[in-house]
Amino acid sequence: MKLKLAILAVAFLSACTAPITEVPLRHGAGLALPPMKKFTAPRVVAPARSNAAIAEDFLNLSFMMESGRAIPYLTRFEGPVQVHVAPGAPSSLHSDLGALLSRLRREAGIDIDRTQNRDEAQIIIEALPHKELQRLVPQAACFVVPRLNSWAEYKRTRRSSTIDWTTLKTREKAAIFLPSDVSPQEIRDCLHEELAQALGPLNDLYSLPDSIFNDDNFHTVLTGFDMLILRAYYAPELQNGMTRSQAAQRLPALLARLNPGGAGRGIGPSSPTPRAWIDQIEVALGPNTTSSRRKAAATNAVALASKAGWRDNRMAFSLFAQGRLSLSTDPELALSSFLEAGRLYGARPGMEIQKAHVAMHLAAFSLSVGQFDSALAVINANLSPVAASENAALLATMLMIKSEALEQLGRTSEARAVRLDSLGWARYGFGSDAEVRARLNEIAALSPRRVVQ
């Protein structure tokens, strides 16, 4: 289940304390938007952790639900897997699904394809209006359930044990429900996570720095680690109905075969993540609560992470959340939180996309106080991992900041070219033309008002 934890928001940027234009610079007004851009060639990076750590991750992902309930048996589909998309899905879903299925066949070795026949399908994907999903499952942006064939069936059985994953000994059918009226990127992100969970692990772990199986939402498409987990999930060494201890006995040899580069690496398993910290993070970045309660929860998360002695991505994420939620009330705390989060993310390999999220905020600070060269340098240093992670929304935002910095430095033709590039990515990342123009105006409003001599 993909939780509604908001990682990328741009409206908050105007909370920076430097003077901004009283009226937004309406670069978007009347601007003809270019065609939508899409990523075509995934850049897959092998996991950097040891096979011993990956084995522990596999067990925690596969034999535990997000709620903390134990899953008694490993379950998966037997034989070829057919996926059916119910009528009414956006066109972008079909093209993104084709690319994802190709990756699953190539990188995870799963025999999976599409079918037009709903009755033949093991996995049904149904797209529904966002409000309809939220009405029944307000905490989820999208989700997957076992044994079902349709949304109508889910509404009838949602309070029964029919959709209890812990009662399975094998997988025969699953239904994925995702929103139909959000941006193409949001639909794609849901597609990646929910299809991966329909096929394999059901848990999310905040300790994972390089995985979509993490509710921090930094990774938006399946990573090299995720594909390795799925390849192991469907390897002949494992079978339906295995217990955790049985799977644990097979994993060392299995991972040695699939990931020989993981032998003897020094990055070992992470310490367990206590429920108390998870609860604070979910309050801090979840919906339907007050800003003061969110900020208090982020402060508590930082305190719990510090008490646990973490210096990993969980401590950095706590600081990132604190920075996000302190922008409007305590900009000095926000800046110090972002700086420390960026330092922690930069201290370990494989966390470049997390560092880039922090960099976007730091660049926005620089832009808001007139440090245009600094904003430009921060953006340029972090564009590559954003493109590699296929995050069009973040890429568009960073390019908009870069364009505004170039504009303020008098490099008008460069600014225009970068702005045009940003708009193509924004159409995929943000969706509607109105939303794209609004984002562009929000970035323009960050720049200090020019003084006419």
Side-chain angles (χ1 to χ4, degrees), residues 164-238:
D164 185 349
W165 289 97
T166 67
T167 64
L168 298 182
K169 284 198 174 181
T170 187
R171 299 190 195 185
E172 297 176 348
K173 187 80 72 174
I176 293 170
F177 305 116
L178 44 76
S180 60
D181 51 357
V182 295
S183 73
Q185 177 169 321
E186 289 179 78
I187 295 170
R188 181 210 62 186
D189 295 355
C190 278
L191 193 61
H192 274 245
E193 179 160 355
E194 304 312 326
L195 187 54
Q197 291 195 320
L199 292 166
L202 298 163
N203 197 7
D204 282 313
L205 300 173
Y206 278 103
S207 59
L208 296 178
D210 56 353
S211 176
I212 203 171
F213 296 115
N214 186 331
D215 272 333
D216 65 11
N217 290 353
F218 282 124
H219 288 280
T220 56
V221 298
L222 290 169
T223 66
F225 169 87
D226 300 328
M227 289 297 185
L228 174 61
I229 292 294
L230 289 169
R231 182 175 283 275
Y233 215 87
Y234 282 81
E237 290 92 332
L238 301 180

Side-chain angles (χ1 to χ4, degrees), residues 158-402:
R158 64 191 180 97
R159 301 187 188 279
S160 73
S161 62
T162 300
I163 59 171
D164 185 349
W165 289 97
T166 67
T167 64
L168 298 182
K169 284 198 174 181
T170 187
R171 299 190 195 185
E172 297 176 348
K173 187 80 72 174
I176 293 170
F177 305 116
L178 44 76
S180 60
D181 51 357
V182 295
S183 73
Q185 177 169 321
E186 289 179 78
I187 295 170
R188 181 210 62 186
D189 295 355
C190 278
L191 193 61
H192 274 245
E193 179 160 355
E194 304 312 326
L195 187 54
Q197 291 195 320
L199 292 166
L202 298 163
N203 197 7
D204 282 313
L205 300 173
Y206 278 103
S207 59
L208 296 178
D210 56 353
S211 176
I212 203 171
F213 296 115
N214 186 331
D215 272 333
D216 65 11
N217 290 353
F218 282 124
H219 288 280
T220 56
V221 298
L222 290 169
T223 66
F225 169 87
D226 300 328
M227 289 297 185
L228 174 61
I229 292 294
L230 289 169
R231 182 175 283 275
Y233 215 87
Y234 282 81
E237 290 92 332
L238 301 180
Q239 289 92 39
N240 264 309
M242 275 189 164
T243 64
R244 181 181 177 118
S245 61
Q246 288 171 329
Q249 291 173 5
R250 302 284 182 90
L251 282 172
L254 170 56
L255 290 173
R257 176 173 70 81
L258 297 181
N259 188 43
R265 280 186 175 152
I267 302 177
S270 300
S271 60
T273 305
R275 188 71 229 179
W277 181 86
I278 295 173
D279 290 342
Q280 293 303 311
I281 286 293
E282 289 184 354
V283 171
L285 298 177
N288 305 323
T289 191
T290 63
S291 58
S292 60
R293 186 163 178 248
R294 286 194 183 96
K295 184 181 176 184
T299 301
N300 291 339
V302 171
L304 289 169
S306 179
K307 184 178 180 180
W310 294 336
R311 304 303 295 165
D312 59 8
N313 57 300
R314 291 170 294 181
M315 182 67 202
F317 188 54
S318 304
L319 290 162
F320 179 79
Q322 179 171 261
R324 281 279 316 278
L325 294 163
S326 301
L327 276 163
S328 62
T329 58
D330 194 342
E332 289 187 7
L333 176 62
L335 182 58
S336 65
S337 298
F338 285 138
L339 289 169
E340 179 62 9
R343 191 186 70 77
L344 290 173
Y345 282 136
R348 292 194 178 193
M351 291 195 279
E352 291 79 11
I353 186 59
Q354 290 92 330
K355 185 171 177 285
H357 273 273
V358 175
M360 184 270 287
H361 288 267
L362 295 176
F365 266 110
S366 295
L367 186 65
S368 72
V369 297
Q371 296 175 356
F372 307 122
D373 286 311
S374 176
L376 203 57
V378 170
I379 293 296
N380 286 337
N382 288 276
L383 284 175
S384 180
V386 177
S389 73
E390 302 188 31
N391 191 329
L394 180 59
L395 182 59
T397 302
M398 295 180 82
L399 289 173
M400 288 175 184
I401 293 173
K402 178 177 179 177

Side-chain angles (χ1 to χ4, degrees), residues 449-453:
R449 185 172 48 216
R450 289 186 179 182
V451 177
V452 179
Q453 300 294 331

